[in-house]
Amino acid sequence: MNLVTNTSRLSTEYDSVVGRVFNIQRFSTQDGPGIRTTVFLKGCPLHCAWCHNPEGLSPQTSIAYSPDKCIECGECVAACLNGCHKIGEQSVLSPSHTYERRGCRTCGSCASVCPAGAMELIGRDVSVAEVLAEVLEDKPFYAHSGGGITLSGGEPLAQIDFAVALLKAARKEGLHCCVETSGHATWDRLCQLLPLVDLFLYDYKETDPERHRQYTGKTNEAILKNLHSLHDSGAQIQLNCPVIPGFNDRDDHLAGIAALTESLPRLRAVRLLQYHPLGSDKLKRLGLPLQPGALGKLNNETIERWLRVLRQRGIHALN
Amino acid sequence: MMSSTTLRKDRMPPDVSSLLEENGLAAGWTRSKKMPVAASEQKMSYTDRVEALRNAKRAQTFEKQLVRGSMDFDDHGIVLPPDGQYRVVHSMSGSGIEINDAILTTFIPSGNHPSGEFVGARACGENFRKLLEIHPVHIEPASSLAGAYMVNFMSYRKLTWNPDVDCSALLAEHERYHTIPVIGAVQHMCPDLAIGLRLGWGGLLEQVHRGALANPDAVDFYAGLVHVILGAQDWIRRHAETASRMVTEDSPLAENLAQIAEMNARLVTAAPRSFRDACQWILWYLLIARMYNGSGGLGKLDLLLQPFYDADSKAGSLTDEEATFHLACLLVRDTAYLQLGGPDQSGKDVTNRVSYLTLEAAHQLGIATNVGVAVGKDVDRNLLHRGVEILVEDRCGTPKFLGVDNTIAGFAANGFPVELARQRAYAGCHWSALPGREYACMDVVKFSFPAILDVSLREMMADGGVSPSVAELWDRFKLHLRSAIATAARGIDFHYEHMHQNFPELVIDLLCHGPLESGVDASHGGVEFYTFGVDGAGLATAADSLSAIEEQVERNRRLSWAELIKHLDSDWAGAEGEKARKLLLGSGRFGEGHSTGDEWAVRIATEFTLAVKEQPTPRGLMMIPGIFSWVLNIQLGKKLGATPNGRHAGERISHGANPDPGFRHDGAPTALAVAVAKVQCGYGNTSPMQMDIAPTYGDTAQNVAVLEALIRGHFELGGTQINMNVVNREQILEAHNDPSRFPDLVVRVTGFSAYFSSLSPELRQLVVDRLLCD
C-alpha cells in the first residue's frame, strides 16, 4: 500500500487521528453505489466461519508470507530480532526459506526490508490525512458515478474514533460516505456515525440466534436491536445478506430475511451476497487454518430462487 | 463537367493538354471485369442487407487471413483480388511496417528511375492511374454503395526512398537510439472532404487546370494530379456501367443496382446532391486514398453529412433507417477514422442526428470500425452515453473516446487561436489534424525511451571518470534524449525537402487548401500548417527501470552497478540473474500510485515535452509531442536487450502511455486512469489510455454507468484519448488459444481495431496481458 504523503487539500482537525487499516482498495464497485474507495479497518468482534477478510479479524498486525515471491535474498534473516527466518539448503521436504510464526512479534521488520513483497505486514497505523489523500486520488470518478468512500473491515465500529474522524474529513471534501457494518457494537457508537453516513451496508447473517452464535461467535440480538434503532432514526440502510452453503442457505433463514425486511419499510434494498470459497492460498499466506465454510460452493440456482421469492413479496432484492 | 471554353489551350503545357484531350469523358469506355456477387438475392430488408454485408465481410476477412497470414494493423476493408489475378508480396505499408500483401498481377508499374522504381509526382500519378484503370469492379448488390479496393499501390514499390537523394547517414543516426524516422512517411494528415463534396471530381479537375495555368513550372505535379483524377473517374464509370448491366428484371435488388448505376454515372464528374450521393463520394475518395498510400482519415463525418441529411429529410426523400443503412454501407468498406460531436470553431457542439445514426450504423455492423466520440464539457452527454452502451453491448472496441477539451487547449498552447484548434478533426489512430490545412505526419516518429536509457547507462558505465549514480544517469538521459530529438528534427527537415521527389501525397493534395493553388505538394510546403507529431514509446519500461535502479542499486544497495550491467548483458542468466531480475521487478511501478515508478514516468514525460518544445527543427518546423507506440512496441522491443525493470532481451517494450501489465493487484481501472492522465504532453497530440476490461459491476446499466464515469474522470484529469475494450475474459483467453473459434471477435488493439483472429500471436498476447483484473 503506497500511501500518499503529499496532498493539496486543506487540513482539518481530524487529520492526525490514527487508526489501523489493512487495505485501501480503489475502484470498489461492490461496496456501495458507483465507483468507491474502500478503507478496510482492522479488528472485528465477530469471527464468521466464512470470513472473506480473515486478515481483518484481529486488531493486531500480522504477517503474510508468499513463498512463491521469495527470492531468498536473506534480508529478512538479518532484520528479524527473534530468529523467525532461516534460509537453508533447499530440499524436497522443506523450502529454502522457512518462516516460523510461533516466535513472531509481528513487528513488520522483515516486511519492511523484503524487496520482493514475499513478507507483508498486514495492518498499518495511518492517519486520517494519509488515508484521505489516497481516497481523493479518485475523486473525479466518484463525482461522475455517485460513488465515494466506504468504510469496511473488519468492523469499522471497533475503531469508532478513527471512523468518525475519517468520515468527518471525507464529508468536508464532499464525499458520499458508506459504512459496511455487522452492527455488533453499542448503540452509542452507531449514533456517532448516524449523521455522517449516507448509506449503511448492514450485514444480516443468520436469523436463528443460536446458529448466529455458532457461526460468528456472537448472538444477533444486539445486531437486530441496533438495526431497528438505526432504521427508526431515519438512516438509509441496505441489508447485506451473505448466503453460505451448508450454513445459512436454509428456507427458514430466507423467511427470516423477508420478515425482517418487511418490518423495516424504509430499507433501501436487500442484497444477497453470493459466497465464493476463499482460496486456501490466502489462508496459508496468513498462517490461518482452512475455513469450514471454504469447502462448499453455492449453487447459482439458490440465489436465483431466493431473489424470486423476495421479489414476489415486493422486496427490492439485488445480487 | 469541363467544357473546352473554360480552357486556354494555347497557354497549357503540351502534355497536360494531351491529358485533357484524353479527358473527353468518352462514354462507353468500359472495362468488363468479373466481380464478386455477394449473398442471396432474395427480397431483402435493410436488416437483411446489413446481415448480407456482414457475412460477405466475414468471408472476405477469412480469405485474407488464409492468403496474407497475420495482419497486425488496421482491419481495412480491402478485399482480395479475383482468383488467379494476384500474388503475395512482402512490402511496406502506409503505416511504415512490413506486411504480406496481395497485389494484382495485371498491373506492372513503369519505372522512371534507373533502379526501375517510379518516383515523383508525374510517375506516381501515371502509374496510379494505370492501376485504377485495371482495378476490378466490386459491387455487392445488397449495398447501396459501390466499390471496394483490392490493392495497396505502395506494395508495387521496390524502394521506400528515391535513391537519388541519399539519407543513409541520417537513418543510421536515427538507429543509434532505435528512433523510427519520418523520412519516407506518407499520409497521416486529414483531407478536407468538404472540398470534394462541394466540387466533385469534375470540379477538382477544373481546380487542377486552373492551378496548372497559374503555375506552369509545376507541370509534373499537376500532371500527377490529373492522372489521379482521370484514373478515379475511369474506375467509377466502370462501376456505373457494370451496375447498369447487372440490373435484370427478376433481380430483387434491381432498383438498388439501377440507383447505383445512375448515381455513379453522375458522380464521375458531378458533385454529390443527396445524402446517399455524399456517402458514395466519400467512399470513392476513401478507397482511392487508401489504395494510393493508406490514408484513412475522414474527420468530422457528422458535420460533413449534416447538410445532405437535413436537405433530404426535409424533402421527405430520406428516412433515418435509410441514412443509417447508407452509413453502414460506408463503414463496412473501410475502417476509416472519424469523429462524432465536438465543438465547432465558435465552441458550439456539432453533435447532430447524423452523429447518432453513425453510431447506430456501427452498432448494426458489429465489425472493426474506428469511430471516435467526442467527450467534453459542452458536448452532448447522450452521445457518450450511447457510445458506451454500444461498446458494452457489442464488445468490438467501438467507439473510442476523444478528450476534445484537452486536445483543443493543447493545440492552442502552441500559439494557435483556440478557434483554429477547435477545427481539428480526429483522423488517425491517436491524432487529429486540421482538415486539408495541416501536414502533421502524426503517428510516425517514435522515440524509444528504454533505448535512450540503455545508451545513457552504457555510456555512464564506460566513463571511468564518473561515479555511477541515478543523478548522473538522468543527466545523460536528458542529453541523449535531446540528441535523439535533434536527429529526428533533421529527419523531418530532410523529409520536408525531398519527400515530394519520392512519393508525393497527390490524392490528399486534391482535398487540401493550397497545393492545387500553388503547385506544391502537401509534404513540401503546399499547406499552411506544419506540426510534426513525435511520440515517445516504452514509457513504463523506462520509468520502471529508473525506479528499479534508484531503489535497489542506489538506495538499498542490494545490487551494484556492475552487477546490474552483468545481468543485463547475460539477459538474467543463471540463478543469480533470475534473483536479480525478481529483485528489480519488485520495485515501484508506474501506475501503482505514488510509487517511484510513477515519479519517474512523470519526470520522463515532462522532460520529453520540454525537450521537444525547446526549439523547432532547423528549418523552423514545429514538433508536437505525444506518448504512443502504435504496435511498434513489439518491433522496438525485438532490437533492445534486457532492461533494468526486469524485462528480458527481445521482449516487447511497454505499450503506449500505459503502465506495464501487473502494475497493481487491485483498483487498477482508476489507478490506470489517474496514472495516464499524469503523463500527458499537452500541445494537441495525445497520450492515449488503453483500457481492457471485463466489467462485472452489476447489470448492463451499471456497467455502462461505471465506464462512463471512468471516461469522464480520466478526461477531467487531463486525458486526451481512450481506447477501450470491453471483453469477456474467458472468451478472450479461449480465443487466444484458438482464434478460429471466434472469427467475429473484434478488439481495439491500440488506436485501431481489428479482428482478433487476424492478429499474430504476439499482438494477441499484448491484448490478453493488458486485461485488467479486478
Side-chain angles (χ1 to χ4, degrees):
Chain A
M1 176 165 55
N2 287 316
L3 286 177
V4 177
T5 51
N6 295 322
T7 172
S8 58
R9 55 177 278 270
L10 291 173
S11 58
T12 71
E13 64 265 40
Y14 318 113
D15 280 9
S16 57
V17 177
V18 171
R20 183 164 289 175
V21 304
F22 64 93
N23 195 14
I24 300 177
Q25 181 175 289
R26 293 165 73 176
F27 196 70
S28 298
T29 56
Q30 306 295 324
D31 299 329
I35 295 172
R36 313 189 73 80
T37 295
T38 303
V39 183
F40 291 87
L41 278 64
K42 210 169 190 309
C44 187
L46 305 185
H47 282 68
C48 303
W50 53 77
C51 182
H52 254 208
N53 294 318
E55 67 270 38
L57 293 175
S58 166
Q60 307 305 321
T61 56
S62 54
I63 297 287
Y65 169 43
S66 305
D68 56 308
K69 292 183 183 173
C70 178
I71 62 171
E72 297 165 9
C73 63
E75 298 271 345
C76 52
V77 177
C80 181
L81 298 176
N82 282 23
C84 297
H85 296 276
K86 285 182 176 50
I87 305 248
E89 289 295 320
Q90 191 161 14
S91 72
V92 172
L93 295 176
S94 61
S96 174
H97 172 207
T98 53
Y99 162 55
E100 181 54 65
R101 288 186 186 272
R102 254 186 312 212
C104 180
R105 290 185 300 122
T106 66
C107 64
S109 300
C110 56
S112 68
V113 300
C114 177
M119 306 307 304
E120 201 183 336
L121 181 69
I122 307 296
R124 284 179 196 270
D125 293 338
V126 292
S127 68
V128 163
E130 287 170 313
V131 173
L132 205 54
E134 175 91 7
V135 170
L136 288 174
E137 285 273 287
D138 288 351
K139 193 170 179 187
F141 308 104
Y142 310 147
H144 290 296
S145 67
I149 181 176
T150 296
L151 269 55
S152 182
E155 171 54 62
L157 293 170
Q159 295 188 59
I160 190 62
D161 294 337
F162 180 64
V164 165
L166 183 52
L167 289 170
K168 282 183 174 173
R171 294 202 79 80
K172 278 210 162 196
E173 294 292 335
L175 299 186
H176 182 276
C177 298
C178 282
V179 168
E180 281 182 310
T181 177
S182 65
H184 186 86
T186 62
W187 171 240
D188 168 67
R189 290 194 176 200
L190 272 164
C191 268
Q192 292 183 60
L193 292 191
L194 199 52
L196 304 173
V197 177
D198 294 291
L199 179 66
F200 285 91
L201 305 171
Y202 202 101
D203 287 343
Y204 183 60
K205 302 174 201 271
E206 170 58 60
T207 303
D208 179 77
E210 178 50 30
R211 284 180 190 264
H212 196 285
R213 189 193 62 74
Q214 278 176 25
Y215 301 158
T216 72
K218 307 283 182 194
T219 64
N220 61 1
E221 282 92 357
I223 291 170
L224 288 171
K225 193 162 177 235
N226 282 336
L227 174 59
H228 280 281
S229 299
L230 207 58
H231 172 270
D232 294 345
S233 301
Q236 293 291 307
I237 305 168
Q238 171 178 296
L239 208 63
N240 275 2
C241 304
V243 185
I244 315 296
F247 286 83
N248 64 5
D249 60 334
R250 311 176 323 272
D251 284 346
D252 61 292
H253 178 49
L254 171 59
I257 292 172
L260 177 62
T261 307
E262 283 160 356
S263 74
L264 301 165
R266 284 188 305 281
L267 213 58
R268 278 270 288 267
V270 171
R271 186 162 172 232
L272 300 181
L273 303 177
Q274 187 162 4
Y275 175 76
H276 295 283
L278 188 60
S280 59
D281 282 349
K282 187 176 187 182
L283 294 163
K284 266 168 105 174
R285 283 194 292 116
L286 295 165
L288 295 172
L290 200 63
Q291 296 168 331
L295 297 174
K297 193 173 185 308
L298 186 70
N299 191 325
N300 280 341
E301 286 173 11
T302 304
I303 289 278
E304 292 301 321
R305 184 172 66 83
W306 281 34
L307 285 170
R308 269 197 311 273
V309 166
L310 293 170
R311 286 169 182 164
Q312 275 164 8
R313 288 172 76 149
I315 293 170
H316 181 41
L318 317 164
N319 70 336
Chain B
M1 180 163 166
M2 191 179 54
S3 87
S4 60
T5 57
T6 63
L7 300 173
R8 298 198 44 190
K9 274 190 171 180
D10 57 338
R11 289 172 64 181
M12 292 297 299
D15 52 356
V16 174
S17 178
S18 66
L19 285 174
L20 294 176
E21 295 283 1
E22 223 176 54
N23 185 32
L25 301 172
W29 183 18
T30 62
R31 294 285 166 92
S32 176
K33 295 285 174 189
K34 196 167 179 211
M35 83 298 299
V37 175
S40 155
E41 292 206 9
Q42 301 298 317
K43 182 72 180 164
M44 296 170 93
S45 66
Y46 285 126
T47 306
D48 292 338
R49 288 165 74 176
V50 169
E51 184 62 25
L53 294 175
R54 203 178 24 245
N55 288 337
K57 168 86 182 171
R58 188 184 294 121
Q60 288 151 7
T61 304
F62 183 64
E63 284 168 0
K64 280 192 288 185
Q65 290 168 353
L66 284 178
V67 170
R68 296 176 65 178
S70 298
M71 292 175 279
D72 283 349
F73 41 84
D74 291 54
D75 170 67
H76 296 149
I78 190 169
V79 301
L80 283 180
D83 286 343
Q85 291 187 31
Y86 68 87
R87 63 186 172 89
V88 178
V89 298
H90 198 66
S91 72
M92 187 69 76
S93 80
S95 294
I97 58 164
E98 294 182 15
I99 60 171
N100 289 329
D101 203 6
I103 60 172
L104 281 165
T105 50
T106 45
F107 169 65
I108 297 169
S110 306
N112 63 332
H113 186 273
S115 65
E117 186 56 88
F118 56 92
V119 294
R122 181 187 288 275
C124 288
E126 274 173 351
N127 279 295
F128 189 55
R129 176 183 175 181
K130 280 192 215 157
L131 175 60
L132 285 167
E133 287 172 350
I134 62 98
H135 192 289
V137 164
H138 184 94
I139 297 173
E140 293 180 25
S143 175
S144 65
L145 309 178
Y149 79 111
M150 298 177 187
V151 286
N152 291 302
F153 182 49
M154 289 180 73
S155 289
Y156 287 95
R157 306 197 81 215
K158 300 176 188 49
L159 308 166
T160 56
W161 191 254
N162 183 341
D164 293 343
V165 190
D166 181 45
C167 58
S168 51
L170 196 42
L171 290 175
E173 278 186 57
H174 280 77
E175 190 51 33
R176 183 182 182 208
Y177 300 111
H178 301 174
T179 304
I180 294 173
V182 77
I183 299 169
V186 292
Q187 41 105 359
H188 289 94
M189 59 182 296
C190 183
D192 188 354
L193 282 152
I195 298 174
L197 292 172
R198 183 166 45 86
L199 296 176
W201 295 103
L204 285 172
L205 195 56
E206 288 179 14
Q207 290 279 79
V208 171
H209 299 325
R210 274 196 279 276
L213 282 173
N215 302 283
D217 289 343
V219 57
D220 285 338
F221 179 66
Y222 286 107
L225 292 173
V226 169
H227 280 303
V228 169
I229 295 173
L230 295 183
Q233 290 178 319
D234 176 79
W235 193 39
I236 296 167
R237 183 184 309 110
R238 285 189 289 116
H239 280 79
E241 290 163 356
T242 304
S244 181
R245 287 196 297 274
M246 286 169 75
V247 177
T248 60
E249 277 182 15
D250 54 352
S251 162
L253 290 163
E255 188 184 350
N256 180 55
L257 290 166
Q259 289 165 346
I260 286 177
E262 184 276 332
M263 169 173 66
N264 283 296
R266 274 188 296 109
L267 292 181
V268 172
T269 52
R273 293 193 303 230
S274 67
F275 185 87
R276 183 177 177 178
D277 281 3
C279 289
Q280 177 72 87
W281 202 97
I282 289 173
L283 180 58
W284 285 127
Y285 180 81
L286 177 61
L287 295 174
I288 289 161
R290 277 287 198 206
M291 206 190 307
Y292 182 72
N293 66 1
S295 173
L298 284 186
K300 297 181 181 178
L301 184 70
D302 51 357
L303 197 57
L304 291 164
L305 289 175
Q306 186 182 18
F308 298 96
Y309 173 82
D310 287 346
D312 286 4
S313 299
K314 195 172 171 189
S317 58
L318 181 75
T319 65
D320 278 1
E321 193 188 14
E322 285 167 342
T324 306
F325 180 67
H326 298 319
L327 288 162
C329 292
L330 173 61
L331 293 179
V332 79
R333 283 275 68 89
D334 191 72
T335 49
Y337 293 87
L338 63 98
Q339 176 175 333
L340 301 178
D344 67 10
Q345 191 171 335
S346 71
K348 181 169 169 293
D349 179 33
V350 305
T351 305
N352 59 69
R353 189 78 189 122
V354 178
S355 319
Y356 286 96
L357 297 181
T358 307
L359 277 178
E360 289 314 305
H363 176 45
Q364 286 179 14
L365 284 170
I367 62 170
T369 54
N370 292 314
V371 176
V373 163
V375 182
K377 62 179 183 335
D378 296 323
V379 181
D380 184 350
R381 295 184 73 87
N382 289 323
L383 191 67
L384 170 64
H385 183 73
R386 184 60 190 139
V388 178
E389 282 183 333
I390 288 171
L391 177 73
V392 170
E393 186 176 338
D394 295 351
R395 306 198 169 208
C396 290
T398 287
K400 56 201 302 190
F401 305 99
L402 314 172
V404 291
D405 291 346
N406 296 325
T407 46
I408 287 168
F411 192 69
N414 289 300
F416 297 116
V418 71
E419 293 79 13
L420 185 73
R422 290 183 186 129
Q423 294 173 58
R424 292 176 100 221
Y426 176 65
C429 258
H430 79 306
W431 54 270
S432 301
L434 291 162
R437 300 169 71 187
E438 183 184 348
Y439 185 79
C441 265
M442 288 288 183
D443 195 14
V444 177
V445 175
K446 299 283 181 275
F447 298 105
S448 172
F449 290 139
I452 296 171
L453 183 65
D454 189 64
V455 168
S456 309
L457 177 63
R458 304 294 173 159
E459 182 192 74
M460 180 181 74
M461 295 306 295
D463 187 345
V466 301
S467 252
S469 69
V470 170
E472 176 69 29
L473 177 58
W474 177 239
D475 282 346
R476 288 174 191 255
F477 178 85
K478 288 190 285 186
L479 284 172
H480 284 290
L481 178 66
R482 281 164 173 78
S483 176
I485 292 168
T487 301
R490 291 204 309 282
I492 286 169
D493 284 352
F494 184 88
H495 175 89
Y496 178 92
E497 189 60 39
H498 298 292
M499 184 58 185
H500 69 109
Q501 300 166 300
N502 177 40
F503 194 77
E505 286 300 328
L506 292 187
V507 176
I508 296 184
D509 283 329
L510 290 172
L511 298 193
C512 276
H513 302 266
L516 267 59
E517 291 83 352
S518 64
V520 179
D521 183 50
S523 73
H524 187 53
V527 296
E528 191 180 350
F529 299 103
Y530 287 82
T531 55
F532 287 83
V534 295
D535 298 320
L539 175 67
T541 303
D544 292 348
S545 291
L546 282 160
S547 165
I549 293 172
E550 181 178 342
E551 286 186 8
Q552 310 302 348
V553 177
E554 188 154 282
R555 204 187 298 157
N556 300 329
R557 297 183 187 275
R558 292 195 177 107
L559 203 64
S560 70
W561 288 96
E563 283 169 332
L564 171 66
I565 296 297
K566 183 185 89 176
H567 291 311
L568 290 177
D569 286 346
S570 75
D571 194 15
W572 317 105
E576 286 303 308
E578 183 58 16
K579 193 189 283 192
R581 194 178 80 84
K582 281 186 176 169
L583 172 75
L584 293 161
L585 268 173
S587 310
R589 299 273 304 272
F590 169 46
E592 211 175 324
H594 295 277
S595 71
T596 324
D598 286 295
E599 289 168 10
W600 278 112
V602 170
R603 204 173 293 153
I604 293 170
T606 305
E607 192 64 35
F608 174 60
T609 303
L610 202 65
V612 168
K613 294 308 292 178
E614 258 166 11
Q615 54 194 344
T617 70
R619 181 181 259 282
L621 300 172
M622 183 184 291
M623 295 182 286
I624 56 176
I627 299 183
F628 187 61
S629 61
W630 195 55
V631 297
L632 295 168
N633 60 314
I634 295 175
Q635 176 183 312
L636 288 169
K638 281 187 175 152
K639 47 167 75 170
L640 185 64
T643 42
N645 66 327
R647 176 189 146 277
H648 276 292
E651 280 180 354
R652 63 173 191 253
I653 60 175
S654 55
H655 182 238
N658 269 38
D660 253 338
F663 61 93
R664 253 187 97 98
H665 61 91
D666 66 7
T670 46
L672 174 65
V674 170
V676 176
K678 288 185 179 170
V679 294
Q680 301 295 317
C681 301
Y683 296 108
N685 199 345
T686 71
S687 306
M689 174 176 73
Q690 182 77 40
M691 186 175 283
D692 305 83
I693 203 160
T696 52
Y697 317 130
D699 58 21
T700 301
Q702 285 167 309
N703 287 340
V704 169
V706 167
L707 294 182
E708 256 191 81
L710 277 171
I711 292 166
R712 287 201 186 278
H714 178 64
F715 289 145
E716 192 175 305
L717 291 169
T720 45
Q721 187 176 312
I722 299 173
N723 299 315
M724 194 178 273
N725 273 313
V726 170
V727 300
N728 176 300
R729 187 181 172 74
E730 287 71 34
Q731 183 190 57
I732 202 100
L733 292 174
E734 284 180 46
H736 184 38
N737 196 38
D738 184 2
S740 67
R741 290 184 53 215
F742 301 92
D744 290 335
L745 178 60
V746 175
V747 292
R748 187 151 298 280
V749 181
T750 165
F752 67 88
S753 67
Y755 287 90
F756 197 67
S757 56
S758 292
L759 305 177
S760 66
E762 276 172 314
L763 205 47
R764 297 203 305 267
Q765 188 69 55
L766 173 75
V767 176
V768 166
D769 287 346
R770 274 193 328 227
L771 188 56
L772 297 178
C773 305
D774 284 347

